[in-house]
Amino acid sequence: MSTKKPVRVAVTGAAGRIGTSIIFPIAAGDVFGKDTPVILQLLELPDALGKLRGVEMELRDCAYNLLRDVVVSDDPNVAFKDADALFLVGSKPRGPGMERADLLKDNGKIFIGQGKAIDAVAADNARVIVVGNPCNTNAYIASQMARRVPKANFTAMTRLDQNRAAAQLAGKAGVEVGAIGNLAVWGNHSPTMYADYTHAYINGRKVSEVITDHEWLNTAFLKTVAQRGKAIIDAQGVSSAPSAAWAAIDHMRDWHHGTNGRWVSMAVPSDGSYGIPEGLICSFPCTVDANGQYHIVQGVELDAASKAKVQASVNELLEEREMISGLLAG
Ligand code: NDP
């Protein structure tokens, strides 16, 4: 039996499709390591607590050696207590005819409350990944509530966009996904995000040297990645869940263990790099050092076309920030 201190992991929307797919790999040791025990602290809306009890039974029935306990609650002050890592997945889906501004406001209220609860009861160095959409702005809202927990610890998920892009490139080049490096997603987790392959390599060679179909790279590739979520809904009738869950796991695992120089896409509070306004939660290429500290990769030279795409996505983030400014002021 491992004598290591358990990591406390909170997951919101834990009875939902993505939340359910996240918690089993965490309990199996896929995020914090095969020798690190975990305590899962699961949050749901009161109406979904019954369903969550069923998920809890299944979790316990897996008899995971590393799973020390499961806490189920509808109160963030209970579910976030002493949490070292938080996956904020639960959020209100956009209803028919609903404007983006309405969605932002409805979810904004959830993330104000959750941001306050994190600051009140989570571990001092709690690390947060927001998956619930619009994830960048939801993370921004929660980060603005933090006084004790560092704002830099509030991040959002763009790893799914990176994974989708890597899978497309690997498929086209006929190589394994691990051969792809330095692929970067910039901006917002929305169709405006920019998957920049121009600095990426395949087995150490520039992508554009290996994939000579430049027409595909500049049109079909970018379009496929940007519209993948819709394509999945069209095909299966529901949105992506296992792939979104796995990307969240990739994000937190790499943040915990480090990337050994490998680039990973993370939406993190901007420090002003690349002229992106400070505090805005924007996706950048990042590396994570051996101490689990992430760093925005510096000195990436973006050509004019890339700069325009990044700017368009940053403009969308600025618009979203403007839409929720009243909520934060109130
Ligand atoms: P999912 O588990 O499928 O999705 C959860 C959130 O993840 C949504 O906001 C969804 O955005 C977002 N998301 C981010 N990336 C992706 C992606 N690539 N593909 C699909 N979704 C993505 O939703 P469910 O309805 O199954 O579950 C949500 C759960 O959250 C429910 O059980 C509900 O009760 C709970 N909830 C909990 C709250 C809380 O804990 N306080 C608050 C609100 C809800 P999008 O909708 O844009 O696809």
Side-chain angles (χ1 to χ4, degrees):
M1 177 168 159
S2 172
T3 53
K4 282 176 92 171
K5 188 172 173 255
V7 176
R8 290 183 174 270
V9 189
V11 180
T12 74
R17 294 179 60 249
I18 296 176
T20 307
S21 301
I22 281 179
I23 56 187
F24 289 84
I26 295 173
D30 286 345
V31 179
F32 301 100
K34 296 289 184 189
D35 60 347
T36 305
V38 291
I39 296 173
L40 283 170
Q41 307 185 165
L42 311 178
L43 183 74
E44 256 302 349
L45 295 174
D47 285 354
L49 277 181
K51 190 174 172 197
L52 187 54
R53 296 270 177 222
V55 175
E56 179 195 357
M57 285 186 244
E58 285 217 68
L59 256 179
R60 293 191 186 277
D61 290 352
C62 289
Y64 292 117
N65 215 25
L66 294 171
L67 185 60
R68 291 289 182 269
D69 200 5
V70 183
V71 175
V72 165
S73 181
D74 59 0
D75 180 353
N77 289 301
V78 173
F80 297 171
K81 182 86 181 105
D82 300 325
D84 303 294
L86 297 99
F87 293 76
L88 305 187
V89 182
S91 68
K92 189 173 171 174
R94 192 196 298 222
M98 198 175 179
E99 296 294 330
R100 191 156 56 112
D102 298 328
L103 182 69
L104 278 162
K105 281 183 187 142
D106 283 358
N107 279 315
K109 288 178 201 146
I110 295 172
F111 285 86
I112 284 178
Q114 294 191 349
K116 284 181 178 166
I118 290 167
D119 206 50
V121 302
D124 289 345
N125 196 28
R127 290 166 171 206
V128 181
I129 174 177
V130 178
V131 176
N133 278 319
C135 61
N136 298 55
T137 297
N138 288 340
Y140 173 77
I141 293 168
S143 77
Q144 295 308 296
M145 300 299 119
R147 302 282 176 273
R148 181 179 58 92
V149 173
K151 287 189 170 51
N153 286 13
F154 288 78
T155 69
M157 183 174 87
T158 48
R159 183 62 174 268
L160 179 58
D161 304 303
Q162 178 189 322
N163 287 351
R164 285 169 172 170
Q168 288 298 317
L169 292 178
K172 181 77 174 174
V175 297
E176 60 191 39
V177 178
I180 316 281
N182 286 17
L183 189 56
V185 170
W186 298 78
N188 198 5
H189 173 65
S190 83
T192 68
M193 65 89 210
Y194 174 47
D196 179 18
Y197 69 83
T198 61
H199 298 89
Y201 57 78
I202 298 176
N203 285 324
R205 290 174 63 207
K206 281 181 77 171
V207 166
S208 57
E209 287 172 17
V210 179
I211 299 176
T212 50
D213 182 354
H214 295 174
E215 174 68 17
W216 179 86
L217 279 173
N218 290 318
T219 53
F221 163 67
L222 290 174
K223 199 170 159 200
T224 302
V225 176
Q227 297 184 357
R228 191 65 159 184
K230 182 179 178 304
I232 289 170
I233 294 174
D234 289 347
Q236 65 178 17
V238 287
S239 60
S240 44
S243 56
W246 195 253
I249 284 163
D250 278 342
H251 177 118
M252 195 61 93
R253 186 201 56 234
D254 285 344
W255 192 1
H256 185 77
H257 292 288
T259 65
N260 200 16
R262 196 167 35 90
W263 291 14
V264 287
S265 302
M266 297 170 73
V268 300
S270 174
D271 57 2
S273 294
Y274 302 96
I276 294 170
E278 235 173 279
L280 210 61
I281 297 197
C282 179
S283 185
F284 293 96
C286 294
T287 55
V288 183
D289 65 28
N291 298 319
Q293 183 64 47
Y294 69 74
H295 305 274
I296 296 171
V297 176
Q298 297 298 317
V300 179
E301 288 190 14
L302 296 167
D303 61 20
S306 296
K307 273 189 189 150
K309 287 184 178 124
V310 174
Q311 191 58 50
S313 199
V314 168
N315 288 346
E316 185 182 55
L317 284 170
L318 288 169
E319 274 169 32
E320 290 184 8
R321 187 169 77 174
E322 185 55 35
M323 284 179 203
I324 50 90
S325 58
L327 211 59
L328 292 179

